[in-house]
Amino acid sequence: ESPMPSESFQNLSEKSQSPSSQPDQSSSQQPPSSKPVENPIEIRPESSPPITNTEAGLPATPTPPPKSIEGRIMNISGDAIYDQRTPQHAAYDWLINSDPANLDLDKLSDQELSQRYVAALFYFSLGGDNWVEKYQFLEESNVCEWNNGSSRNRMGIICDSPGTITDFTVNKYGPITGIIMSK
């Protein structure tokens, strides 16, 4: 949707405030005129800066959650991080209170923080405490090292060369149970 230029909005605003556009309370309602508009407003988005929601009479855009660790994790899992029965809470609690890396989470990029949280969430969602082989999950190392180290049959977290998680493979040593959330 193209933003409406501020000049055009002002013209519309002035017309809507003019007496001729307000219904006459003293007379009976007349049907709308089918007469074509004599002076249509031309909209040229490139000629004027876009107007803000407030200027257009729309609700203000909600402010995004703060860039706190809590806000950044809530962007991934919502308020499930507060429910102690969920793997989201277990992963969030581990990241804040038990991560042996003891990272300065405020200094991590969004990708680094979200990958560490999501990898822990994967572990807790699928009952990682009960896995026969834990693939170094929840260790101090980078999440891209949470695997069996094999170059031929890698199990655990698989990353590409820039260090982005591309795959989770953990079912070699028996069934894994749990629920993976869509977000």
Side-chain angles (χ1 to χ4, degrees):
E1 181 177 321
S2 298
M4 186 182 296
S6 55
E7 177 180 291
S8 297
F9 175 76
Q10 290 168 351
N11 289 341
L12 287 173
S13 178
E14 289 166 8
K15 287 184 180 185
S16 69
Q17 299 301 320
S18 70
S20 64
S21 69
Q22 299 298 321
D24 184 2
Q25 301 295 332
S26 62
S27 65
S28 63
Q29 291 285 342
Q30 296 182 10
S33 170
S34 60
K35 185 170 98 174
V37 176
E38 294 176 10
N39 295 317
I41 297 171
E42 186 176 332
I43 298 175
R44 288 185 234 154
E46 65 279 355
S47 66
S48 300
I51 61 171
T52 65
N53 283 359
T54 307
E55 290 171 326
L58 300 171
T61 304
T63 53
K67 282 296 188 181
S68 67
I69 301 308
E70 179 181 13
R72 291 164 69 191
I73 298 301
M74 284 186 69
N75 282 335
I76 299 168
S77 289
D79 60 1
I81 64 172
Y82 301 120
D83 184 346
Q84 294 182 1
R85 301 167 296 175
T86 66
Q88 290 87 346
H89 173 78
Y92 177 66
D93 184 63
W94 173 83
L95 188 66
I96 300 295
N97 298 311
S98 304
D99 185 347
N102 199 24
L103 300 168
D104 184 348
L105 300 175
D106 290 315
K107 292 186 178 177
L108 293 180
S109 70
D110 286 344
Q111 179 178 335
E112 291 168 322
L113 180 67
S114 65
Q115 284 196 150
R116 197 156 185 90
Y117 170 75
V118 168
L121 178 58
F122 181 83
Y123 177 86
F124 289 111
S125 293
L126 297 178
D129 288 338
N130 300 316
W131 295 351
V132 173
E133 174 62 52
K134 300 209 187 315
Y135 305 108
Q136 302 180 49
F137 270 74
L138 307 186
E139 291 193 4
E140 185 175 352
S141 58
N142 182 293
V143 296
C144 290
E145 297 175 20
W146 293 0
N147 55 60
N148 63 357
S150 171
S151 59
R152 289 185 44 160
N153 190 18
R154 182 153 298 181
M155 303 298 281
I157 293 181
I158 315 300
C159 294
D160 61 13
S161 58
T164 301
I165 295 174
T166 59
D167 205 359
F168 292 91
T169 307
V170 293
N171 63 353
K172 184 175 180 182
Y173 294 104
I176 301 221
T177 60
I179 297 172
I180 297 178
M181 306 309 280
S182 64
K183 187 170 184 185

